[in-house]
Amino acid sequence: MAGLVFHIQAEYDALIRAREEMARVRKEIEKLDATSSPELIRSLEKDLAKSTKEFDRLAMATAKSSAELDLNFKKKIFNASQAVNKFTEDIIQQKNVVKDVEADVRKLGEAYRIAAKKTPMSAAGKLSEYNAAKRVLDGERAALFELTQEQAKARLTVKELRDEYSLYKNDSTKVVSANEDIAGSLKHIILTV
């Protein structure tokens, strides 16, 4: 996306140069009076038409690139949001797994305590089952923690994309406003010639 932003900036810079050229020609036209030569007037009108055509071409190219960038932002935000949703689903499932393993650990712990009181010799097998279940529980909790970390990173990515998109939209609004001002100036120039 950085390449597209650079491309739009280059188009915008060219758009500014075209606007400056139109302003220069407008100043030349404003200096004209009734005694100005028709050749000079035609030359300036030709320059103005050329500058206007270039400005319109650049404005269209910039608008097209901006629309593409806008769409890319929206796609990235959507995809990042979908990733957050997927992590949320996975976390919910993992919490259920942890809850089930915790229940198993409690049952095995209780079975071990009962076996230790009644028949201490058979308690060793129950203890190893209990310890194995605790290790599984620790692993499931670690997996849950990893999922929450990944979800947090995905949420941060969504926020960063939304902030960047907001900044881009703010800059785009300024460009559109400047273009509207230029269009108004062009109408004024054309009407005064």
Side-chain angles (χ1 to χ4, degrees), residues 34-51:
T35 62
S36 298
S37 75
E39 294 85 27
L40 178 60
I41 292 172
R42 277 193 292 276
S43 173
L44 288 174
E45 286 175 343
K46 185 178 176 182
D47 287 349
L48 182 60
K50 181 181 172 187
S51 296

Side-chain angles (χ1 to χ4, degrees), residues 21-185:
E21 176 63 17
M22 289 168 35
R24 184 194 64 77
V25 172
R26 183 177 77 190
K27 285 181 183 178
E28 293 289 325
I29 290 172
E30 288 173 353
K31 292 178 185 176
L32 296 178
D33 58 17
T35 62
S36 298
S37 75
E39 294 85 27
L40 178 60
I41 292 172
R42 277 193 292 276
S43 173
L44 288 174
E45 286 175 343
K46 185 178 176 182
D47 287 349
L48 182 60
K50 181 181 172 187
S51 296
T52 302
K53 185 176 180 181
E54 179 65 7
F55 179 82
D56 289 344
R57 184 192 68 75
L58 290 168
M60 290 300 290
T62 302
K64 181 181 175 188
S65 297
S66 293
E68 187 178 336
L69 183 62
D70 189 67
L71 182 62
N72 285 343
F73 264 121
K74 288 178 181 177
K75 282 182 181 178
K76 286 187 175 200
I77 291 170
F78 176 79
N79 290 339
S81 295
Q82 291 300 98
V84 170
N85 293 343
K86 177 68 172 121
F87 282 123
T88 301
E89 290 173 9
D90 291 348
I91 287 170
I92 290 169
Q93 290 175 353
Q94 189 63 27
K95 283 182 178 181
N96 289 332
V97 169
V98 168
K99 188 189 298 183
D100 290 345
V101 173
E102 283 174 339
D104 290 344
V105 167
R106 277 192 300 278
K107 287 178 188 174
L108 289 170
E110 188 60 32
Y112 167 70
R113 282 187 283 285
I114 290 171
K117 287 180 184 175
K118 290 185 178 179
T119 54
M121 296 301 257
S122 66
K126 298 286 184 187
L127 179 60
S128 66
E129 283 182 52
Y130 174 69
N131 287 334
K134 282 177 63 175
R135 284 191 296 278
V136 168
L137 178 60
D138 290 342
E140 295 299 338
R141 285 180 175 159
L144 178 60
F145 178 76
E146 287 298 318
L147 284 171
T148 59
Q149 293 302 310
E150 291 300 317
Q151 181 191 43
K153 288 177 188 175
R155 283 184 174 159
L156 184 58
T157 299
V158 170
K159 183 181 180 336
E160 289 171 351
L161 282 169
R162 285 186 175 151
D163 290 348
E164 191 174 341
Y165 181 67
S166 177
L167 181 63
Y168 159 74
K169 290 301 277 182
N170 189 26
D171 288 347
S172 295
T173 302
K174 290 176 185 175
V175 169
V176 168
S177 178
N179 289 343
E180 288 172 354
D181 291 345
I182 293 167
S185 296

Side-chain angles (χ1 to χ4, degrees), residues 11-21 55 58 178 182:
E11 288 174 345
Y12 181 69
D13 292 343
L15 196 61
I16 296 298
R17 287 190 297 278
R19 180 176 69 178
E20 290 168 352
E21 176 63 17
F55 179 82
L58 290 168
I182 293 167

